[in-house]
């Protein structure tokens, strides 16, 4: 089975369509599948739902799809770095399902494990719990959260072999592993594709069974918040 594709556009061919739910890895701008997001924008697909910790920034990451109004709903835990995200939500132009970060990660992991739902204490007594089933266990109240089963997962990894085994680099692992597992189809963009058998099995973070298509590319790796000290006076 061919898994390696020439570029993001080719990898999305026959996969991307209107109305899809897409699980996207990344945290802020760390470990985001930037090449695939650009290709999704270029595809013109509309009415997309994204399950992602956030939406990047205004002109990078999922933010570029908000600018073109290709996203109808976000399932996220944080909106603070993207002014257009906030504007669309407050204006009623974008549907938003808030999830605590741990809950969002577990919803993706549950979907990848075939678990339709789970109970958690996180969010009890807040707007997060509105409309959700409540259940008591040992005198404590929990709410039911549903697993995320996405049509497509897009992730960013450091290294891969041609069978799809992935290694993520340090904090860039973040949401990428659970996002990858919960998609019916998973496409990974990587910095380097190495020969089969060259990856130490004990170092593989995501087995290739979860990954259907791979591309290799150059990444910009923007810094989301750059903080520097002023040059000291001579």
């Amino acid at each position: 089975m061919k898994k390696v594709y020439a570029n993001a556009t080719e990898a999305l061919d026959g996969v991307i369509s209107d109305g899809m739910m897409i699980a996207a890895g990344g945290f802020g701008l760390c470990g985001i599948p930037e090449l695939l997001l650009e290709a999704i924008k270029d595809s013109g697909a509309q009415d997309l739902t994204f399950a992602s910790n956030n939406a990047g920034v205004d002109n990078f990451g999922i933010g570029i799809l908000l600018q073109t109004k290709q996203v109808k709903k976000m399932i996220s835990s944080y909106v603070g770095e993207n002014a257009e995200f906030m504007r669309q939500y407050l204006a009623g132009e974008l549907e938003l399902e808030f999830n605590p970060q741990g809950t969002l990660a577990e919803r993706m992991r549950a979907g990848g494990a075939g678990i339709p739902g789970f109970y958690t204490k996180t969010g009890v007594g807040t707007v997060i719990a509105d409309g959700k089933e409540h259940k008591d266990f040992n005198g404590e109240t929990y709410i039911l959260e549903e697993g995320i089963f996405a049509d497509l997962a897009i992730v960013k990894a450091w290294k891969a072999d041609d069978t799809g085994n992935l290694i993520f680099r340090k904090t860039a692992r973040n949401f990428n592993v659970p996002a990858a597992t919960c998609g019916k189809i998973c496409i990974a963009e990587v910095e380097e594709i190495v020969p089969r058998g060259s990856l130490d099995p004990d170092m593989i973070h995501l087995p290739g069974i979860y990954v259907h298509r791979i591309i290799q590319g150059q990444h910009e790796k923007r810094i989301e918040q750059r903080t520097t000290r002023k040059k000291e006076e001579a």
Side-chain angles (χ1 to χ4, degrees):
M1 175 182 175
K2 173 188 174 183
K3 290 191 177 184
V4 179
Y5 287 73
N7 53 56
T9 299
E10 184 180 315
L12 286 168
D13 185 40
V15 174
I16 191 69
S17 62
D18 292 350
M20 295 188 85
M21 175 187 280
I22 302 174
F27 187 100
L29 299 184
C30 178
I32 65 171
E34 60 196 70
L35 305 178
L36 288 164
L37 289 169
E38 186 72 35
I40 290 172
K41 185 194 78 169
D42 293 342
S43 76
Q46 301 291 321
D47 298 323
L48 301 173
T49 295
F50 270 89
S52 173
N53 181 65
N54 50 58
V57 293
D58 289 309
N59 60 350
F60 200 59
I62 298 174
I64 62 175
L65 294 164
L66 292 175
Q67 290 178 331
T68 55
K69 302 293 183 69
Q70 290 171 257
V71 181
K72 74 171 184 179
K73 179 179 179 179
M74 290 293 305
I75 304 173
S76 298
S77 65
Y78 183 61
V79 304
E81 300 299 328
N82 192 314
E84 180 62 13
F85 190 171
M86 290 189 288
R87 188 202 66 77
Q88 289 188 22
Y89 169 59
L90 294 173
E93 300 172 7
L94 177 70
E95 187 178 349
L96 174 60
E97 182 178 337
F98 269 123
N99 269 198
Q101 286 182 348
T103 299
L104 180 59
E106 182 63 11
R107 289 184 68 191
M108 291 181 178
R109 191 204 67 81
I115 298 170
F118 59 92
Y119 289 95
T120 176
K121 290 176 66 176
T122 306
V124 172
T126 73
V127 294
I128 299 297
D130 290 352
K132 295 177 180 175
E133 179 186 331
H134 289 59
K135 190 174 182 67
D136 286 350
F137 294 91
N138 299 318
E140 299 282 351
T141 301
Y142 294 73
I143 55 175
L144 178 65
E145 293 282 1
E146 295 184 2
I148 290 176
F149 297 84
D151 301 303
L152 172 65
I154 55 173
V155 299
K156 160 72 166 53
W158 180 35
K159 290 183 180 181
D161 62 20
D162 67 334
T163 70
N165 292 315
L166 301 183
I167 294 177
F168 300 92
R169 183 162 174 78
K170 300 184 178 181
T171 57
R173 194 186 314 184
N174 53 55
F175 277 79
N176 276 299
V177 173
T181 65
C182 75
K184 294 177 183 177
I185 297 175
C186 174
I187 305 177
E189 61 181 68
V190 303
E191 296 179 37
E192 182 182 6
I193 298 176
V194 300
R196 188 180 304 188
S198 64
L199 297 178
D200 180 348
D202 287 334
M203 298 302 292
I204 291 170
H205 298 136
L206 185 73
I209 190 69
Y210 289 105
V211 180
H212 302 85
R213 300 184 179 190
I214 313 161
I215 62 165
Q216 179 176 318
Q218 298 295 317
H219 297 87
E220 188 174 343
K221 296 185 180 180
R222 291 193 193 184
I223 296 175
E224 187 170 357
Q225 293 286 354
R226 185 186 298 273
T227 304
T228 59
R229 291 179 297 175
K230 292 182 179 180
K231 187 175 181 180
E232 294 179 0
E233 296 293 335

